[in-house]
Amino acid sequence: MPTYNYTIKDASGQIKEGTLDGENESAIARRLQEQGAIVQKIELSKNAASRTGVSNIGGVKLADLTMFCRQFSTMIDAGVTLVRCLNVLGQQATNPKMKYIVGEIETDVQAGQMLSQSMARFPNVFNNLFVGLVKAGEVGGALEESMQRLSSFLEADMELRRKVKGAMTYPVIVLSVAVLIVLGLVTFILPSFMNMFLELGMKPEDMPSMTRALMSFSTFLITKWYMMIAIVVVVVISLKMFLSTKIGGRLYDHLKLKAPVFGTLNHKISLARFSRTLATLLSSGVPILTAMETVAGTVSNSIISDAVLHARARIREGDRIGEPLAKSKLFPPMIVQMIGIGEESGSLDSMLTKVAEFYESEVDAALQSLTSAIEPVMIVMLGSVVGFIVIAMFQPLLKIITNLAGGGE
């Protein structure tokens, strides 16, 4: 995990400085606030930033990590030494960034550093969950088992992402084709019709309102296309900047949970990830408080993350896991009851695994229904837009024909 420098005011009013390892600034702030301190400043340690080296290079795919874990587990289980494993994995890595990172980890391990500590240098590749499970495997002497659990977890997560991406591919393609068709009609076909109407003696002010509106839009696209591009760029950049703020991020996460149709889907995805991650951590022997903190950083939604961290704080005070989760109203009764049964029977990890499998199947069913429902909606939307353009182009022609027929009589 990266190291952060902090400045706080303690209970006596004294200003103190120090460093803490954590997943992000929010996690560090929450930990300090739990100790009764008033946080004044938190920033990434410069030493940590220089020590991580290429931690910000990214570019390592989930499939690469899954293969890394599976092969690592197999070799460790076969009795291959840790350094030899890393050397082999580095040589056969097809991703150049992964190859470099594995080489750096091999150097650290040869120098006597723990594997989990070396992996923590690269938080953009090996997240808190990854490092936590490896550390638990090192401490418990079951590194190959931890790697097996990691590979199974990553494979399940990759499959979930694949299903979501696959369900969204069709709508994106249809929407892209629709935009191209509309742009082609407005910028190439419509001007030809307009010139024909003008040659037939129709003045712009005599044209129907639908046609005039479409003409204005077409003229704007043709003569001031650069402004349209500038508007799109400004809107996208402004939206990204707003979403990167704490308020914007929370608002976006709230909308993801409350949006019609997609809100339920996003909620189920977050619950599946929560259950799967917590089950994987607990089955690897990670303490519940550490596991809850790690899970809060992996659910990809600040609203649910805050509920998990609140539950963690209540667990520290002696509460059962299910009670604070139920009070948040973000976790359905089924999850709360299954967690309660798991606590009572001492099989919390297996119960959470069942919950994860249930919600993953729910996500699968929801994606299939969504894909089936989106197709007719997209067709109706495309038909409506194209129909509007066709009517707007033929209204003046009908008016001209009517005038000619009336004049002939």
Side-chain angles (χ1 to χ4, degrees):
M1 285 182 284
T3 303
Y4 291 87
N5 296 328
Y6 65 81
T7 304
I8 62 171
K9 182 184 290 186
D10 62 15
S12 62
Q14 292 182 336
I15 302 298
K16 293 184 178 180
E17 297 181 351
T19 61
L20 274 177
D21 292 339
E23 184 179 354
N24 50 44
E25 294 182 12
S26 299
I28 297 295
R30 281 190 291 265
R31 196 181 306 173
L32 292 170
Q33 289 167 357
E34 287 176 359
Q35 299 172 4
I38 299 175
V39 179
Q40 294 188 333
K41 185 179 181 182
I42 298 176
E43 61 182 5
L44 182 66
S45 170
K46 293 182 180 179
N47 291 335
S50 61
R51 191 172 69 248
T52 58
V54 294
S55 64
N56 293 326
I57 59 176
V60 177
K61 297 179 180 179
L62 201 57
D64 296 326
L65 284 177
T66 304
M67 184 66 69
F68 172 84
C69 293
R70 184 66 70 188
Q71 294 174 340
F72 202 130
S73 171
T74 302
M75 285 191 284
I76 290 290
D77 192 40
V80 182
T81 63
L82 182 57
V83 174
R84 181 70 185 276
C85 283
L86 291 168
N87 182 266
V88 172
L89 289 170
Q91 288 181 10
Q92 68 181 26
T94 56
N95 187 315
K97 295 174 182 177
M98 189 69 181
K99 182 187 291 290
Y100 179 86
I101 290 170
V102 174
E104 289 288 300
I105 294 174
E106 180 189 354
T107 302
D108 290 343
V109 172
Q110 284 179 326
Q113 196 172 40
M114 297 282 286
L115 177 62
S116 57
Q117 291 177 335
S118 181
M119 286 180 168
R121 289 178 51 201
F122 310 98
N124 283 7
V125 178
F126 304 109
N127 61 18
N128 202 13
L129 167 68
F130 206 109
V131 174
L133 285 176
V134 171
K135 185 176 182 179
E138 288 176 314
V139 173
L143 185 57
E144 73 283 354
E145 195 174 322
S146 291
M147 283 297 183
Q148 286 175 357
R149 289 197 179 100
L150 258 175
S151 61
S152 299
F153 171 83
L154 292 174
E155 286 167 359
D157 192 44
M158 188 165 58
E159 179 64 15
L160 184 62
R161 292 170 186 260
R162 185 192 64 78
K163 289 177 180 177
V164 174
K165 188 179 293 185
M168 293 297 104
T169 299
Y170 176 78
V172 169
I173 292 175
V174 172
L175 185 61
S176 301
V177 171
V179 171
L180 291 175
I181 290 174
V182 170
L183 288 177
L185 288 173
V186 171
T187 56
F188 295 104
I189 307 300
L190 183 62
S192 301
F193 271 79
M194 294 302 106
N195 290 333
M196 181 185 70
F197 296 148
L198 293 175
E199 289 174 0
L200 291 174
M202 176 170 281
K203 298 179 181 179
E205 56 270 17
D206 295 333
M207 294 183 183
S209 56
M210 287 177 59
T211 308
R212 291 200 304 270
L214 202 57
M215 282 179 60
S216 300
F217 181 63
S218 175
T219 303
F220 178 78
L221 283 181
I222 295 172
T223 61
K224 298 182 179 179
W225 54 268
Y226 53 88
M227 288 185 63
M228 179 64 73
I229 295 176
I231 291 171
V232 172
V233 170
V234 169
V235 170
V236 170
I237 293 176
S238 300
L239 189 59
K240 285 186 176 180
M241 291 177 64
F242 176 69
L243 293 179
S244 66
T245 63
K246 186 176 181 179
I247 296 176
R250 285 188 64 84
L251 179 60
Y252 179 62
D253 287 339
H254 180 76
L255 289 175
K256 283 198 297 185
L257 295 177
K258 298 298 182 181
V261 182
F262 291 98
T264 302
L265 177 61
N266 283 319
H267 194 189
K268 289 179 179 178
I269 291 173
S270 296
L271 293 176
R273 185 163 292 155
F274 163 83
S275 304
R276 178 70 66 183
T277 307
L278 188 55
T280 303
L281 288 165
L282 293 177
S283 61
S284 299
V286 178
I288 182 63
L289 293 178
T290 305
M292 292 289 281
E293 184 176 4
T294 301
V295 169
T298 60
V299 293
S300 302
N301 189 290
S302 61
I303 306 298
I304 295 179
S305 176
D306 287 346
V308 174
L309 289 171
H310 175 71
R312 176 181 179 273
R314 298 308 308 163
I315 293 169
R316 288 183 61 186
E317 300 296 327
D319 285 359
R320 298 171 69 88
I321 300 174
E323 294 173 1
L325 293 179
K327 290 179 181 178
S328 70
K329 297 182 179 180
L330 291 171
F331 295 85
M334 191 269 282
I335 290 185
V336 176
Q337 294 298 326
M338 291 286 279
I339 288 176
I341 295 171
E343 285 184 287
E344 293 171 3
S345 62
S347 57
L348 182 56
D349 55 342
S350 61
M351 285 296 180
L352 285 167
T353 300
K354 295 182 187 298
V355 172
E357 291 172 352
F358 170 77
Y359 275 103
E360 284 165 2
S361 64
E362 284 283 294
V363 169
D364 193 17
L367 286 172
Q368 292 179 1
S369 300
L370 184 63
T371 304
S372 301
I374 282 179
E375 183 174 355
V377 172
M378 297 292 288
I379 292 174
V380 170
M381 289 176 58
L382 178 59
S384 300
V385 174
V386 173
F388 176 86
I389 295 173
V390 170
I391 292 172
M393 288 191 300
F394 278 91
Q395 272 187 335
L397 187 60
L398 292 174
K399 190 172 183 179
I400 290 172
I401 292 173
T402 301
N403 291 339
L404 289 175
E409 293 175 1

